[in-house]
Amino acid sequence: MTSPEQPTALLPGEVRMPLLGFGTWQATGETGYEAVLAALDAGYRHIDTATMYGNEREVGRAVKESGLRREDIFITTKLPPERVGRERETIEASLTALDTDYVDLWLIHWPPNGPGEGIPVWREMLAARDENLARAVGVSNHSISQIDELIQATEENPAVNQIRWSPALYDRQLYAAHRDRGVVLEGYSPLRATDLADPVLVRIAAAHDVSPAQVVLRWHIDHEIVVIPKSVTPERIRTNADVFGFSLTAEEMRDIDALGS
């Protein structure tokens, strides 16, 4: 699925999800297309989009024109809240825009408002998976209690929960709660939610001759948390992908974890 140096998380159904992904929020039009192409060229094999982002067509075009095999690229998209009740129509529109027969992961972008309202949506997600429109299904921006509600109703765990995550937001109990339920934690806005001038990150970066941003991404990977940095700048896209030549010591991991306390 991916080159050996890229670690993956194992999802239900033997689906392998690269721990490093490329986020495409706000990357639209030709800029979005060029950013995804640059990311694939830099070695990313996991692209994260959403119906709400309005860039699925550009993502699909970049994947097609990258010269890579579809099965070597992991594509995530998401169902927006206003499409609740139109799940099947939405995934079909996503597949058309992405110009693919399936996505690797389909997420509920935000939980519906009222208690219990997420359960019918979750059943539709599972149906799409069972029809091979998505290899795995999960959620985004869900609390543990919202995840438990879905599990109790269907006995099916979301494969993934994508939430804001960074060293400053590190929460050991929340991390453990996902792991206990067999739900892979995926972090978005890893760099936006981080003070890259923090002395701890600067010191650790200097020790490895890398940037503080690379340290933050490696910290996610060493915790086996999927991380999806985003950029439209080719140089930064390349730098963010270059996190497999070093790893953090147990002491460095503890020091970074402590930024969340």
Side-chain angles (χ1 to χ4, degrees):
M1 173 73 198
T2 54
S3 48
E5 69 273 13
Q6 288 213 24
T8 58
L10 182 62
L11 308 185
E14 297 300 307
V15 175
R16 289 262 166 204
M17 181 181 192
L19 290 181
L20 178 68
F22 183 71
T24 66
W25 179 54
Q26 296 180 321
T28 55
E30 200 64 17
T31 303
Y33 159 75
E34 288 171 3
V36 174
L37 208 51
L40 293 169
D41 186 56
Y44 289 91
R45 293 295 178 266
H46 165 188
I47 308 294
D48 180 272
T49 182
T51 296
M52 193 183 276
Y53 300 170
N55 61 10
E56 289 174 317
R57 203 165 297 282
E58 288 76 15
V59 169
R61 183 158 68 97
V63 167
K64 270 280 192 296
E65 294 180 13
S66 68
L68 297 164
R69 298 184 310 166
R70 168 65 187 92
E71 59 266 34
D72 291 337
I73 302 172
F74 188 100
I75 300 175
T76 300
T77 194
K78 310 180 194 78
L79 173 87
E82 68 274 13
R83 297 292 185 95
V84 166
R86 293 188 288 155
E87 294 84 2
R88 179 63 186 245
E89 176 192 332
T90 303
I91 187 65
E92 287 178 351
S94 287
L95 296 177
T96 299
L98 289 162
D99 193 14
T100 184
D101 295 333
Y102 66 94
V103 290
D104 298 277
L105 180 64
W106 192 31
L107 303 178
I108 302 174
H109 206 151
W110 291 90
N113 288 331
E117 285 183 19
I119 294 167
V121 183
W122 183 233
R123 291 191 195 281
E124 289 295 325
M125 305 291 282
L126 295 169
R129 180 202 64 190
D130 292 345
E131 291 177 51
N132 300 315
L133 302 178
R135 294 174 70 219
V137 289
V139 297
S140 180
N141 301 299
H142 278 54
S143 67
I144 293 297
S145 62
Q146 287 165 330
I147 288 172
D148 284 345
E149 185 178 66
L150 302 183
I151 295 171
Q152 283 156 14
T154 63
E155 297 186 350
E156 290 259 23
N157 300 18
V160 171
N161 186 22
Q162 185 185 118
I163 58 176
R164 281 184 88 231
W165 197 262
S166 71
L169 299 173
Y170 181 69
D171 179 331
R172 187 182 304 279
Q173 286 179 305
L174 187 56
Y175 173 71
H178 283 85
R179 180 153 285 196
D180 291 348
R181 287 158 178 78
V183 178
V184 170
L185 187 59
E186 178 176 12
Y188 68 81
S189 297
L191 304 177
R192 179 184 286 245
T194 298
D195 174 9
L196 294 174
D198 187 286
V200 171
L201 298 177
V202 171
R203 168 175 58 78
I204 294 170
H208 293 278
D209 195 24
V210 296
S211 70
Q214 287 169 306
V215 167
V216 170
L217 300 178
R218 186 70 219 193
W219 171 80
H220 283 75
I221 289 164
D222 285 348
H223 266 311
E224 298 183 345
I225 294 169
V226 180
V227 63
I228 47 170
K230 68 182 193 67
S231 176
V232 294
T233 311
E235 181 53 40
R236 193 166 297 145
I237 288 170
R238 282 194 294 274
T239 304
N240 287 347
D242 186 16
V243 291
F244 299 111
F246 73 103
S247 59
L248 303 173
T249 66
E251 185 180 2
E252 288 168 340
M253 291 291 286
R254 284 194 297 272
D255 289 348
I256 299 170
D257 291 354
L259 299 177
S261 54

